[in-house]
Amino acid sequence: MPGAGWLQQTLAAAEWNNKLSGGLAAGDRFAHKTGDTDEVSHDGGILTTAQGRRYVVVVYAPVTSPDGDDARFAN
């Protein structure tokens, strides 16, 4: 698919890694994008496990995003 490599590189360069990334196992990689509004918090992207399996993972939650709520994503 045209642009797929660029999109994956862009997602892999995420600087905010305080949501789903906190729950990764050793060797896993998560190319993703986080976001927040006054009412919701979300994180989604492409998970590549240490074994090479790939999944699309998205969590969209009706919570604000102070650090306490971000940590809940990792669980």
Side-chain angles (χ1 to χ4, degrees), residues 11-48:
L11 292 173
E15 294 182 24
W16 299 98
N17 291 301
N18 54 343
K19 295 182 189 295
L20 292 174
S21 297
L24 297 179
D28 289 351
R29 296 183 321 271
F30 190 47
H32 66 113
K33 172 71 175 90
T34 63
D36 302 296
T37 70
D38 291 339
E39 299 172 353
V40 299
S41 184
H42 49 89
D43 193 357
I46 304 164
L47 170 64
T48 305

Side-chain angles (χ1 to χ4, degrees), residues 42-60:
H42 49 89
D43 193 357
I46 304 164
L47 170 64
T48 305
T49 67
Q51 297 77 27
R53 294 184 193 101
R54 299 178 84 190
Y55 303 90
V56 172
V57 180
V58 177
V59 175
Y60 184 88

